[in-house]
Amino acid sequence: MSFETDLAHALDRTTDALEPELGTFLNGAVERGRSRRRRRTAAVLAGAGACCAVLAVAGLVLPAALAGSHSAGEREMPMAAPRTTITDAQMIQAVEATFPGGRFSQETGQSNNPSDPSGGYVANGGLVLDDGHGAAYVGVSAQRLKLPLEDGDGLSCSARPRPAGDTCKVSELPSSAALPGGALVMTEQTAAGHPAGPDTAHRWTVTVTLKSTGAQLQMVQWNSTGGGSGSEVPKPTRSGPPLSDQQAVAALTGATWAPILASLG
């Protein structure tokens, strides 16, 4: 499976969940990818940051957490149609605006289709960012979950065990004018190989889900632009992600992404 196809799977967040052994990222482990709908097979994110090759995502990097096969009691989170169409250009432009002053390459994206579930309810955009501290892959995906919300994508860290060193935390944001009803925030850090060493790339994932509408944004950042094929583990190109978890949450809940959240629901 080519990297382009892997990345498309990852950002589409729609295929079967795979075990999050990052040794298998290059072969198929991914980020909370779950079979929600029959996904489009086109490699819409072809060429986006090679860092996601690590994902080898036959499932998603970008909504959902690096998930393994469904655990007992784990629930599927059914998607709902977005209120209006979100285009690939909108997603890419919003990702660019999140990193002002950066240089961008390998930009790719995918539009959603509110009128046709088979066409996809997930919109995404990804690119390789050079902000002067080393190149990094960054991608954001957008979807809406059906209410009421239950433990699942971006809502719970307890669905499965995690390798030593990987982290997950769930918190809440209070209701405000920008976030009526408040939001759930899930932050994760996952190594591209275990045990992780100084030459192991990592992925940072921040998922924000509005409790009132189910609108969900997920940002994935790698401290790598990819690396290797087969069983090779990608090497870091910088010490950390472009944005801290707190900065990523602020970005996803700020003015740049507000139109996307409104379009979702």
Side-chain angles (χ1 to χ4, degrees), residues 7-72:
L7 181 56
H9 282 304
L11 293 178
D12 207 11
R13 306 187 298 181
T14 56
T15 63
D16 293 335
L18 300 178
E19 286 300 331
E21 273 299 321
L22 264 171
T24 57
F25 259 8
L26 292 168
N27 298 318
V30 298
E31 182 133 2
R32 294 185 357 224
R34 297 192 176 99
S35 31
R36 295 195 184 96
R37 63 174 174 80
R38 188 171 299 277
R39 64 181 312 289
R40 286 186 287 183
T41 57
V44 291
L45 294 181
C51 89
C52 282
V54 182
L55 294 183
V57 284
L60 156 85
V61 343
L62 282 194
L66 194 81
S69 44
H70 300 312
S71 304

Side-chain angles (χ1 to χ4, degrees), residues 9-10 34 40 54 67 75 115-116 120 140 146 161 167 172 203 215-219 221 230 233 236 245-246 262:
H9 282 304
R34 297 192 176 99
R40 286 186 287 183
V54 182
R75 298 171 182 264
S115 63
D116 182 8
V140 177
K146 289 184 178 180
T167 63
E172 294 193 32
R203 184 185 70 242
Q216 184 181 86
L217 295 175
Q218 183 180 83
M219 178 184 291
Q221 303 178 88
V233 176
D245 288 344
Q246 294 78 11

Side-chain angles (χ1 to χ4, degrees), residues 4 22-23 26 94 97-98 107 114 124 127 150 152 185 191 205 227 232 246 252:
E4 291 81 2
L22 264 171
L26 292 168
T98 302
E107 298 175 326
N124 54 54
L127 50 80
E150 300 181 37
V185 177
T205 306
E232 182 180 349
Q246 294 78 11
L252 294 178

Side-chain angles (χ1 to χ4, degrees), residues 235-255:
K235 306 300 183 183
T237 52
R238 53 191 293 152
S239 60
L243 298 180
S244 67
D245 288 344
Q246 294 78 11
Q247 290 172 324
V249 171
L252 294 178
T253 57

Side-chain angles (χ1 to χ4, degrees), residues 184-201:
L184 295 171
V185 177
M186 184 171 175
T187 57
E188 301 168 272
Q189 180 179 337
T190 306
H194 297 93
D199 60 346
T200 302

Side-chain angles (χ1 to χ4, degrees), residues 187-227:
T187 57
E188 301 168 272
Q189 180 179 337
T190 306
H194 297 93
D199 60 346
T200 302
H202 284 73
R203 184 185 70 242
W204 288 261
T205 306
V206 173
T207 307
V208 176
T209 308
L210 300 192
K211 293 192 285 186
S212 61
T213 65
Q216 184 181 86
L217 295 175
Q218 183 180 83
M219 178 184 291
V220 172
Q221 303 178 88
W222 286 85
N223 65 337
S224 172
T225 58

